[in-house]
Amino acid sequence: MKHIFLLSFCFCLITSCKQKDKTQTTSELRTTKISSPEDEIFYHLFQRSFYDSNDDTHGDINGVTEKLDYLEDLGITSILMTPLYKSIYYHNYFPDDFKKIDEEYGTFDDYNEMVKAIHKRNMKFYMDMEIHYVTKNHIWFKDSFENPDSEYSDYIVYNGVDNTKPESMIFNLTSLESYNGESFDITTVDLADENVKTYMYDLFKYWVDPNKDGNFNDGVDGFRIDHMMDDLDWKGIRENLFVEFWAPLFEELRSINPNIKIFGEQANWNDLGEDYFSKGKVDMMFGFSVREGFMSFDKTTLINKVDSSKNATPKGKYQLIFLENHDIPRYASVVEGNSKKLKLGALFSILNKGIPSIYYGQEIGMQGSGGMGKYGVSDGNDIPMREAFEWYKTVDGRGMPLWYKNTGPWWDDTTLKDNDGISVEEQINDPNSLLSFYKELIKLRKSNSAFTIGEQAFVNNTNTSIISFCRWQDNEKYLVLFNESNSAQTTSINSADLPFKLTENKLESIISNKENSNSIKESKIDLILAPFGYTVLKIN
């Protein structure tokens, strides 16, 4: 959701790399069959800022289609887009009409062609849905306000006599100022109303199979449920939504397409998702706790957060592992552009247990930090985390979606700079770039089931600044270590602490800093890791 008032926790790490294991080519990886959600690599798109195909400054649907080659080459298997429906707000989270695609994004035909093009590449498409609120422009609100005889009178939660006091949205807001200075009333949809329930169920089912022919090449592969709650906005006005609204909806969707997958975004980011899994029947949750553990730069906290998240996730359910999304400061800003920390964050998020998600621009180190109240009570606070994707070494260029240019202080503070090394153009042919590092990590993950469906366990070592964990599946066995400190660190691991037997000279360094060194014996491994250094060791 447009969490305009939520701050997020941040910190983080990284380095350079060297990949020796190139067991699959990029083209082979593109056609790899997806057998488990953990085989996926998600790309989280804020499409208004991705690529402009028609020179109106707004990123659009055709722009996504045009850039599928880039996403496929990166190694992406699934695309998650923020809402497409019509809204007066630039982020489209508060709709004017659930059934219309925002004209600035394109037409339904454009959408249909994009989804089919995604599927032709054996990729998947996920749609973001936020259905709890509507603006005053929505027919339900517009027609029923102060009109109890309206056919939509029960579609909105009203508190006053004769529909005179519409229920506020989250944070008790009754309106929100847009970045362009306009303000619009927003209210709460009554998800307990049977007519609303029927409407919403039909809406979701439509996107699963638009022409109802049982061929899902034109339908979504799943949904992200924004701001999903059991007790809406913790007000006690609409409760037990998991059991009475969401779970029956998901059951109906799966009866149409058994392969549909559902992401639940917990409204309380500290929630590990137990009730979402058990009562709400979602397939995947967002690993906020895992992210918080990594951002803490504290070994004990990281291990506890990762393990607690793992323990809260039932078999057959999953956590989405991420460093960034549209609601929080970009990782590169948190670590002040430190190149070593950027690569360390990439290593952790791609090789950790769960489903990796890359927020557009994360792979090139885009920066941006907004948050609560930075520019007043306005949705402009979040624009810094949603800036135009940097395709070129200069800010100007074909397709640059600068829809917010010269609109306010967020533009005055823009992090977009010419020739700063943060662009696809500057990184794509540089083997030492962050973009190249992401590609190599994704290739490593896809080439080895240990990093997808494999098990994970933290391993004891003798240094409080070094994290060490194993990933394994059948005969594929790996040991991953990284240094959270800004100075070189020495550590040892006893082979008895590994979940498998170690013999001398049977470890192969797959990815590592040049400054690292290691000594491998049958009884233990001794290592020196560079500042914010890392190593991935393959156990043969």
Side-chain angles (χ1 to χ4, degrees):
M1 170 182 167
K2 239 221 82 292
H3 293 294
I4 56 170
F5 294 112
L6 292 182
L7 293 172
S8 63
F9 348 88
C10 286
F11 273 153
C12 295
L13 332 17
I14 251 140
T15 347
S16 58
C17 87
K18 185 178 180 181
Q19 171 121 2
K20 297 181 180 178
D21 185 14
K22 300 183 183 290
T23 57
Q24 285 182 287
T25 66
T26 301
S27 60
E28 287 172 330
L29 289 169
R30 288 175 181 171
T31 57
T32 298
K33 184 177 179 181
I34 303 299
S35 58
S36 164
E38 287 182 300
D39 292 330
E40 303 280 6
I41 304 288
F42 274 80
Y43 198 79
H44 188 180
L45 264 179
F46 185 70
Q47 61 273 0
R48 192 176 298 279
S49 294
F50 190 57
Y51 190 78
D52 168 25
S53 70
N54 60 1
D55 300 322
D56 68 351
T57 74
H58 293 269
D60 47 44
I61 291 170
N62 287 337
V64 175
T65 305
E66 190 171 332
K67 290 300 183 180
L68 287 178
D69 280 346
Y70 168 78
L71 297 179
E72 189 177 36
D73 184 62
L74 178 59
I76 300 304
T77 66
S78 289
I79 297 171
L80 168 62
M81 292 172 65
T82 48
L84 289 164
Y85 42 61
K86 184 174 176 59
S87 172
I88 197 66
Y89 291 98
Y90 76 87
H91 44 74
N92 299 90
Y93 274 101
F94 308 130
D96 299 336
D97 192 323
F98 287 108
K99 292 185 176 180
K100 288 185 179 179
I101 289 176
D102 189 326
E103 295 92 338
E104 289 174 330
Y105 290 149
T107 66
F108 178 79
D109 286 342
D110 296 331
Y111 166 82
N112 191 42
E113 290 304 312
M114 178 193 72
V115 174
K116 289 180 178 179
I118 289 170
H119 287 157
K120 284 180 181 178
R121 297 166 184 260
N122 294 321
M123 299 165 74
K124 297 179 181 179
F125 173 70
Y126 284 71
M127 179 178 284
D128 195 351
M129 298 290 281
E130 204 286 332
I131 64 171
H132 309 84
Y133 315 108
V134 291
T135 70
K136 193 64 175 287
N137 292 336
H138 196 288
I139 185 64
W140 297 351
F141 192 2
K142 182 166 53 177
D143 191 70
S144 66
F145 181 61
E146 297 182 341
N147 179 20
D149 295 327
S150 168
E151 63 179 300
Y152 306 114
S153 185
D154 295 330
Y155 286 47
I156 302 298
V157 180
Y158 285 106
N159 297 316
V161 177
D162 295 334
N163 296 359
T164 54
K165 190 178 179 182
E167 179 60 47
S168 62
M169 57 180 278
I170 192 171
F171 307 123
N172 294 313
L173 292 171
T174 56
S175 64
L176 177 65
E177 183 176 325
S178 181
Y179 78 102
N180 59 10
E182 296 182 278
S183 183
F184 299 92
D185 291 343
I186 302 173
T187 193
T188 299
V189 174
D190 192 350
L191 298 183
D193 180 77
E194 286 301 318
N195 288 325
V196 170
K197 186 174 181 179
T198 298
Y199 177 95
M200 292 300 181
Y201 280 32
D202 287 343
L203 177 69
F204 276 81
K205 288 187 285 188
Y206 171 78
W207 293 117
V208 172
D209 189 5
N211 57 11
K212 298 182 180 180
D213 65 352
N215 184 340
F216 305 119
N217 71 324
D218 57 350
V220 303
D221 297 284
F223 296 97
R224 173 189 183 271
I225 308 301
D226 183 79
H227 188 57
M228 186 175 172
M229 302 186 75
D230 194 38
D231 174 5
L232 186 58
D233 295 334
W234 306 289
K235 295 178 179 178
I237 58 172
R238 294 296 179 268
E239 300 177 288
N240 205 30
L241 292 175
F242 284 173
V243 171
E244 296 179 3
F245 183 89
W246 291 114
L249 167 61
F250 302 153
E251 183 178 358
E252 285 202 28
L253 299 181
R254 291 171 182 132
S255 71
I256 298 171
N257 181 356
N259 295 318
I260 284 290
K261 293 290 185 290
I262 308 296
F263 278 116
E265 187 219 17
Q266 55 271 57
N268 177 357
W269 291 351
N270 292 319
D271 195 322
L272 296 178
E274 292 99 326
D275 286 346
Y276 288 80
F277 290 127
S278 62
K279 296 180 181 179
K281 304 302 181 183
V282 303
D283 300 292
M284 300 169 271
M285 292 297 296
F286 287 81
F288 283 101
S289 181
V290 175
R291 176 182 177 274
E292 183 182 2
F294 178 68
M295 297 293 187
S296 72
F297 278 68
D298 178 80
K299 181 176 180 176
T300 301
T301 301
L302 185 151
I303 292 173
N304 288 343
K305 292 287 186 180
V306 171
D307 282 346
S308 62
S309 180
K310 176 182 176 182
N311 292 336
T313 307
K315 185 177 181 179
K317 305 290 185 178
Y318 308 94
Q319 294 282 341
L320 192 76
I321 307 302
F322 67 98
L323 298 177
E324 305 177 8
N325 65 33
H326 60 297
D327 287 325
I328 56 180
R330 284 191 175 271
Y331 176 60
S333 285
V334 175
V335 300
E336 299 179 336
N338 185 303
S339 61
K340 293 182 179 180
K341 291 183 178 180
L342 287 174
K343 289 184 176 178
L344 196 57
L347 182 92
F348 176 79
S349 62
I350 300 299
L351 300 186
N352 195 67
K353 179 74 172 173
I355 306 171
S357 176
I358 299 169
Y359 183 53
Y360 82 103
Q362 174 184 324
E363 73 275 20
I364 56 174
M366 279 183 60
Q367 300 184 13
S369 180
M372 184 175 81
K374 184 173 182 179
Y375 303 116
V377 184
S378 163
D379 63 9
N381 284 300
D382 291 326
I383 289 178
M385 289 92 80
R386 304 167 181 178
E387 289 209 72
F389 185 85
E390 298 190 63
W391 293 104
Y392 313 108
K393 61 184 178 181
T394 60
V395 174
D396 296 321
R398 181 183 180 275
M400 285 296 292
L402 299 173
W403 54 270
Y404 55 100
K405 186 176 182 178
N406 297 323
T407 61
W410 35 83
W411 176 257
D412 298 334
D413 296 341
T414 182
T415 60
L416 304 186
K417 300 287 188 284
D418 292 345
N419 303 303
D420 61 356
I422 305 174
S423 72
V424 173
E425 183 179 6
E426 291 167 284
Q427 295 188 25
I428 194 164
N429 294 317
D430 179 1
N432 296 314
S433 70
L434 183 62
L435 178 58
S436 294
F437 190 64
Y438 267 97
K439 287 182 180 181
E440 292 200 86
L441 288 171
I442 291 171
K443 189 178 295 185
L444 174 64
R445 182 182 176 92
K446 286 185 172 184
S447 301
N448 299 277
S449 60
F451 289 117
T452 54
I453 62 175
E455 297 297 323
Q456 175 172 328
F458 287 100
V459 177
N460 291 330
N461 67 67
T462 58
N463 192 303
T464 58
S465 295
I466 291 179
I467 306 293
S468 50
F469 62 87
C470 286
R471 299 297 312 270
W472 72 96
Q473 172 69 17
D474 297 329
N475 292 325
E476 293 181 4
K477 303 168 186 177
Y478 290 87
L479 178 60
V480 180
L481 300 98
F482 58 89
N483 177 12
E484 294 186 309
S485 166
N486 62 0
S487 61
Q489 298 290 322
T490 301
T491 192
S492 295
I493 294 177
N494 290 323
S495 61
D497 290 328
L498 297 174
F500 27 70
K501 187 177 180 180
L502 175 67
T503 57
E504 191 171 357
N505 298 322
K506 292 299 181 180
L507 283 180
E508 177 186 358
S509 180
I510 301 300
I511 293 179
S512 185
N513 304 92
K514 294 178 181 178
E515 305 93 324
N516 295 343
S517 65
N518 58 63
S519 171
I520 303 167
K521 299 179 181 179
E522 188 169 349
S523 59
K524 70 173 183 174
I525 307 170
D526 295 318
L527 303 104
I528 300 175
L529 293 185
F532 301 117
Y534 51 81
T535 189
V536 179
L537 300 173
K538 182 179 182 181
I539 300 176
N540 295 309

